Amino acid sequence: MSLVSGPGRGVASLPAETRLVVDKHVRYVQSLDTRKDELEYWLTEHLRLNGLYWGMTALHLLGHPDALPRKGILEFVFSCLHESGGFGAAPGHDAHMLYTCSAVQIIATLDAFDELEAHMQDGRRKIGQWIARLQDPETGTFAGDEWGEMDTRFLFNAFLSLSLMGLLDLVNVDKAVQHINSCANFDGAYGTSPGAESHSGQVYTCVGALTIAGRLDLVNQERLGAWLSERQLKNGGLNGRPEKTEDVCYSWWVMSSLAMINKLHWIDGEKLTAFILGCQDPDLGGLSDRPGDMVDVFHTHFGIAGLSLLKYPGLAEVDPV
């Protein structure tokens, strides 16, 4: 799987009532790993495992969970696993929290923890211990890898992965929660670290981690709900922060956060649905960041996940966490 644009093309304009072209999106995702003669395939190798997760999850939400071969998926995922318990983006790449989270999500989605244990003895616990070693004992947050970059994304990845494996007890949850709380801003939203600018993506990671920890009581839900609802622009699309352009991926980051605090009704779902559908390539499948741009698997995944949160007919229900 690769994070590549095409083979679909940008769409200048689509009528708002256009339906989701499910079969074409399925074929688009299926095509992504067949384009190994293209330079962009190799330039995006550092996103391969993430791309596999995005594509596979899109297929599950579209109601086609068997459109990619289960055995082939697991063989690739396990080829990215290090003896340490972390996963790299592709075989030979260093282990990192972002890819480890995608790997655990894929294994959980496919109910393949038995296959993991067959591939690596005590594999689930080794993954959990690798994640736990990346927690900073002083601040409670997590690094992305052995080199030490810290970000609330990595904290959320750790919580999500450990919760899916039933190993959240391996880390200091209370300390991590304190760190998340210190990242809250006056507007009710969250940044990458204490004092950092509020951003919809970081809101999702912080609110998601607090949801997993059972500590949504720490969120100023009225203020955050207002900030998130203000991310909707006149064309129906959502942006990541004030004064920025709309992007299909924020259909997920903003709405999932609103769903977790029970305020999804604070945005105009019909206008957002029309915006997302307008980003489709109706001929070759895939979704782009906004109408007129090239499609890619990242925006295809988050656009479809956003439509699922909006309860678009025929899509499987997605968990906002």
Side-chain angles (χ1 to χ4, degrees), residues 164-213:
L164 288 172
M165 296 188 293
L167 297 174
L168 202 54
D169 61 322
L170 292 179
V171 298
N172 188 333
V173 173
D174 290 340
K175 196 79 171 177
V177 166
Q178 289 176 16
H179 177 77
I180 296 170
N181 203 36
S182 72
C183 296
N185 290 319
F186 70 92
D187 52 17
Y190 297 81
T192 60
S193 57
E197 179 185 12
S198 296
H199 190 282
S200 299
Q202 304 304 142
V203 170
Y204 165 73
T205 64
C206 291
V207 175
L210 290 174
T211 301
I212 291 170

Side-chain angles (χ1 to χ4, degrees), residues 20 255 273 276-277 303-312 315:
L20 189 67
M255 282 204 299
T273 297
I276 297 171
L277 292 175
I304 292 169
L307 289 174
S308 174
L309 285 173
L310 290 167
K311 301 189 183 304
Y312 188 88
L315 294 182

Side-chain angles (χ1 to χ4, degrees), residues 85-102:
F87 289 82
H93 286 238
D94 290 345
H96 194 282
M97 188 77 81
L98 294 176
Y99 313 126
T100 299
C101 184
S102 285

Side-chain angles (χ1 to χ4, degrees), residues 116-143:
L116 170 65
E117 297 299 323
H119 177 81
M120 173 185 280
Q121 186 176 1
D122 207 20
R124 186 170 62 94
R125 181 156 288 273
K126 283 184 179 178
I127 296 170
Q129 291 170 338
W130 180 85
I131 292 171
R133 287 194 294 271
L134 292 174
Q135 185 173 30
D136 185 327
E138 297 297 322
T139 65
T141 193
F142 287 77

Side-chain angles (χ1 to χ4, degrees), residues 75-95:
E75 285 178 351
F76 178 77
V77 171
F78 295 151
S79 74
C80 301
L81 176 60
H82 290 245
E83 280 299 317
S84 64
F87 289 82
H93 286 238
D94 290 345

Side-chain angles (χ1 to χ4, degrees), residues 83 156 275:
E83 280 299 317
F156 171 69
F275 171 77

Side-chain angles (χ1 to χ4, degrees), residues 4 17 24-25 66 98 143 161 171 176 242 270 282 293 308 317:
V4 291
E17 65 272 19
K24 290 173 182 176
H25 294 318
D66 300 320
L98 294 176
S161 301
V171 298
E270 288 187 9
D293 289 348
S308 174
E317 184 176 357

